[in-house]
Amino acid sequence: MRKNWSKGEKQVAQSTLTWQTAAPGIWRLKAGRPSTLSPASVMNRTPKTAALQSMGEAEFPFDAADVKIERVGGRIVVALPLGSEESLYGLGLQLLKLNHRGRTRYLRVNSDPKQDTGETHAPVPFYVSSRGYGVYADTSRIVTLCCGSSVRSDSGLSGNAKDRNRDPSWKATPVSDRVEITVADEGLDIYVFAGPTPLDAVRRYNLYFGGGSLPPRWGLGFWHRVPKSYSADEVRAEAAAFRERDIPCDVIGLEPGWHTRSYPVTYEWNRELFPDPEQFVRDLEKDGFKVNLWEHPYVSPDAAIYEALRPFSGSHTVWHGLAPDYTLPEAQAIYMEQHEREHVMIGVSGYKLDECDGSELTRNSWMFPAHASFPSGCDGEQLRQLYGLLLQKMTDDLYRSHNRRTYGLVRASAGAASSLPYVLYSDLYDHRDYVRALCNSGFSGLLWTPEVRKARSSEDWVRRMQTVCFSPLAMLNAWADGTKPWSFPEVEPIVTRYIRLRMQLLPYLYSAFANYWAEGVPPVRAMALEAGVTVRAQAGSGRFDSDEFAYGGAADKEWDDQFMFGDSLLVAPLFEGETERIVYLPQGLWYDFDTGERFEGGRTIRVQPGLEKIPVFVKDGAVIPMMAVMDHAPRAGVKVDLELHHYGTSPGKFQLFDDDGETFAYESGEYRWRTAEVAVDADGRKSGSVSRTEAGWSSAYGEFVWVFH
């Protein structure tokens, strides 16, 4: 319903708000006069209608009459109902908190979020309720959310005032009955995503904005980024060392030194270090390595494209480089033509899109200001909120035009981004925060890597390397410290084992990403999204109370240090200094991935794995496809044999994705789901089968061997 508010006027909408059905279980409300520039408009993705229809219709998840819209000065405020026991998850890449109930979040794009304010590399105004629904605010502006942290005087809660001097139940954050979404703009679009479970709400969000990304198979192998000023010969030597040590590696990343100039950048090859870039890329490809290039958005005066981009750039520079307005087709065309000619055409596989976030939270401050102006008419606040999204979309479109999938890294993103083949990272380096970010990212259609750079000790090194091998992008970033998998020789066998295990699990992980693309299920996700998580386990006690798992109080453990890796594996990292930990296992039977030891779920267990092991548990009945260790992921046309590992006593099945692994042919139906299924007879005997494909189909898989645990 369109509102025509005059400046300073205040109106409150009652039950007359018009919610439009956008897709099954998804509703849209126009609050005020939304801008035409937003994450959804930038992405312009087609919803995956068939998948959404297969989820079925759903009821609106709360009373629509309880939704209020008001204009307060220059702000739009949308208030939505909130139950007293609801927990709220999501809001993008949050490193410091899982459950945002009772917090106020200021969702501005910013690097290095060291305080728990909501500012982060990828703030997404999409929250997921423990009651099984989601709400997304689509806008190019900074959003402030009061996640049950505000109480109106007319709410009916004003009589709950307590005397702190005498009442031990007094709380600094009182219980609220609303979420308030605030934007300094003329309006925004509000979307509501039904469940009935939190995972269903996340799935609908992902599917509505085009589904999840499906990386090329090689993107899920191991990555190594070399020091920032390495020459072509030094890179070749580093790559050769991986092969000599029999450590798998798929991608070599180049850092700023490959440019003729950087900070700001030229996007042009430094011919002193790389005299023949095309031959360099060809040599690495021949040995099974893809090349990924670091860059950022700010264009040096020495760049050949500087003058062409100048009319399409903003009023302010960054590091004295242009900040192009990439909402403009003209600016996009200049960038893409140069990148196509000098990078894509010679075989470069993708990019690390650095520093598209800005910084005020560190000891430095760099970025164009919010009041900067751009030729399209947008201001600095809007472009900063969208810069990472725009860069991802441009480069993805570039590779799509060549029918080649890419996979890369980015330091800023936004809403509606689930279909983009990019993984977030940060210059912060706390291992626990990185694992919490891994849990949080799955709520908001984002991917995250807890990349490894350095370590305080061999123990810290092992624990970080174990974790990163169970993430969307397994990477060692040696840009500053020159570290290598063998930097701590005393633990090299442990590190090598997990890099090799990453390679073995490639068919399992690749199929999980295919399910992300097809059904919107995040490949890595928090326990709050997992079925069978229906009780709250007190940390370390093994006991339960009657409240639901997600509704814990301040003293309750959030389980933000363990996560699901695909549908069947639960990963519980340890951190430096720990020799044991408590793991929460959802209801059902679980098995130790390494030993096969059986555990009853619906409780906590204490594990003491030793340094050589990261605790990984497998669901009863799970089928885990594994391949032999290779130097790099199999290329298109190469068949690999698989071992199909079945755990437990229950029947089970796995949907194995089968396509060429590199092109976009799968989007036109050139793929197959192969069903690997285990039957168990009355005497407990197991038998396994794999569905066949029709004659003429070029499968990525050869022979199948069953292994029963």
Side-chain angles (χ1 to χ4, degrees), residues 3-16:
K3 298 287 182 184
N4 295 311
W5 282 309
S6 61
K7 186 176 181 181
E9 185 180 359
K10 178 178 178 180
Q11 288 193 4
V12 179
Q14 304 298 331
S15 59
T16 57

Side-chain angles (χ1 to χ4, degrees), residues 406-574:
T406 187
Y407 201 41
L409 295 142
V410 67
R411 223 174 72 178
S413 196
S418 60
S419 65
L420 291 168
Y422 279 90
V423 183
L424 288 149
Y425 65 99
S426 176
D427 281 347
L428 297 178
Y429 203 58
D430 183 87
H431 192 188
R432 288 184 182 275
D433 289 350
Y434 272 25
V435 172
R436 188 179 299 108
L438 200 57
C439 297
N440 262 326
S441 59
F443 289 110
S444 304
L446 303 172
L447 301 171
W448 161 261
T449 175
E451 61 170 7
V452 183
R453 297 187 178 189
K454 58 184 179 180
R456 290 181 294 269
S457 65
S458 59
E459 178 192 6
D460 185 36
W461 183 249
V462 167
R463 293 310 189 194
R464 289 178 180 274
M465 290 296 291
Q466 288 170 333
T467 298
V468 82
C469 286
F470 287 96
S471 80
L473 195 152
M475 183 175 72
L476 171 57
N477 187 357
W479 76 278
D481 296 282
T483 48
K484 301 165 179 55
W486 50 91
S487 287
F488 292 86
E490 66 272 27
V491 294
E492 181 182 345
I494 303 174
V495 171
T496 299
R497 181 208 165 192
Y498 278 96
I499 296 175
R500 291 164 66 88
L501 178 59
R502 170 79 175 200
M503 177 62 64
Q504 290 177 283
L505 287 171
L506 206 58
Y508 172 82
L509 182 57
Y510 186 64
S511 296
F513 267 95
N515 196 36
Y516 186 37
W517 164 70
E519 300 294 338
V521 180
V524 178
R525 54 189 181 271
M527 303 311 300
L529 292 177
E530 180 63 9
V533 178
T534 57
V535 294
R536 182 171 80 240
Q538 302 296 327
S541 69
R543 300 192 305 272
F544 310 100
D545 60 28
S546 59
D547 293 335
E548 290 192 18
F549 171 85
Y551 300 163
D556 297 318
K557 186 172 176 60
E558 289 189 337
W559 304 105
D560 56 1
D561 58 357
Q562 62 179 67
F563 53 88
M564 294 301 298
F565 186 70
D567 286 343
S568 299
L569 298 180
L570 187 157
V571 182
L574 274 80

Side-chain angles (χ1 to χ4, degrees), residues 10 111 142 150 187 236-237 308 313 361 470 477 526 532 537 575 577 672:
K10 178 178 178 180
S111 66
I142 297 167
S150 61
R236 289 188 182 98
S313 297
L361 304 178
F470 287 96
N477 187 357
F575 305 94
R672 301 293 183 272

Side-chain angles (χ1 to χ4, degrees), residues 61-62 82-87 128-133 195-198 551:
F62 45 80
L82 181 66
S84 61
E85 293 298 311
E86 285 185 67
S87 293
V128 182
S129 167
S130 55
R131 291 182 60 183
Y133 67 89
T197 69
Y551 300 163

Side-chain angles (χ1 to χ4, degrees), residues 317-332:
T317 61
V318 179
W319 295 310
H320 302 291
L322 296 176
D325 185 346
Y326 286 126
T327 68
L328 297 173
E330 298 90 340
Q332 294 178 18

